[in-house]
Amino acid sequence: MTDRQGPTRQGQADAVATPHADDTESTAQRLDARYGNTRASRTRLAVVMWSLGAFIVVVFGAWVLWAGLLAPAANVNAVDIAHTVVDEHTVDVTYQLTVDPGTKAMCALQAQDDQHSVIGWKIVEIPASDSRTRTFTDSVTTVDEAVTGLIYRCWLP
């Protein structure tokens, strides 16, 4: 038996499948189904993308609320200017405090020895004022001779 494609053995199927007229699916539909490009997969992808977008919007909105609206309105900034060792058990700390006018503040001052151990500590209440930047000098009592005095931290009460 011979045909245009050459001789074939009896009982052996042709190596190339021929499309049948009764196939209801087109080649494009079969390829879409094989590689996941169906209506269900497109719907699933759309749902995932919309969910991801909504999640990003919610997280960004929460961050804006937390960082912008719930943050304290006033700000405090303190800078060490100098220290003076008065005697074996006292050191004077001079510092500059910047805070919004009419705002109270508190500062923790500390004295340290030559091994950077804290040997004196004092919390100072700063009253409200009309000035934004003010300079203060406060004495810190120590248990040993200090080599430095400085600001540990300032905050708004």
Side-chain angles (χ1 to χ4, degrees):
M1 170 186 261
T2 60
D3 61 359
R4 289 186 215 144
Q5 295 178 356
T8 59
R9 287 191 236 163
Q10 269 187 329
Q12 181 181 13
D14 289 340
V16 177
T18 58
H20 299 290
D22 60 349
D23 281 344
T24 58
E25 288 186 320
S26 70
T27 304
Q29 289 171 330
R30 284 189 304 236
L31 288 173
D32 285 346
R34 175 183 281 178
Y35 294 110
N37 191 15
T38 62
R39 180 173 176 85
S41 65
R42 286 190 301 269
T43 303
R44 186 175 28 253
L45 180 63
V47 167
V48 167
M49 290 305 211
W50 278 102
S51 299
L52 180 64
F55 176 75
I56 290 171
V57 167
V58 167
V59 168
F60 180 73
W63 177 79
V64 166
L65 180 69
W66 175 75
L69 301 177
L70 299 178
N75 195 5
V76 61
N77 185 24
V79 178
D80 290 312
I81 294 177
H83 70 275
T84 305
V85 178
V86 177
D87 59 29
E88 189 175 329
H89 294 290
T90 308
V91 63
D92 287 342
V93 179
T94 303
Y95 56 99
Q96 185 177 38
L97 182 72
T98 303
V99 68
D100 291 337
T103 305
K104 295 181 193 178
M106 295 183 79
C107 290
L109 309 177
Q110 65 181 7
Q112 296 180 354
D113 63 7
D114 57 352
Q115 296 176 350
H116 302 287
S117 299
V118 177
I119 57 172
W121 184 270
K122 182 177 185 179
I123 295 180
V124 181
E125 293 184 25
I126 310 294
S129 172
D130 293 336
S131 299
R132 178 175 296 281
T133 302
R134 297 177 282 166
T135 303
F136 298 96
T137 300
D138 290 300
S139 295
V140 179
T141 305
T142 64
V143 295
D144 199 5
E145 186 170 2
V147 295
T148 188
L150 49 96
I151 300 170
Y152 173 71
R153 188 176 138 220
C154 290
W155 65 93
L156 301 174

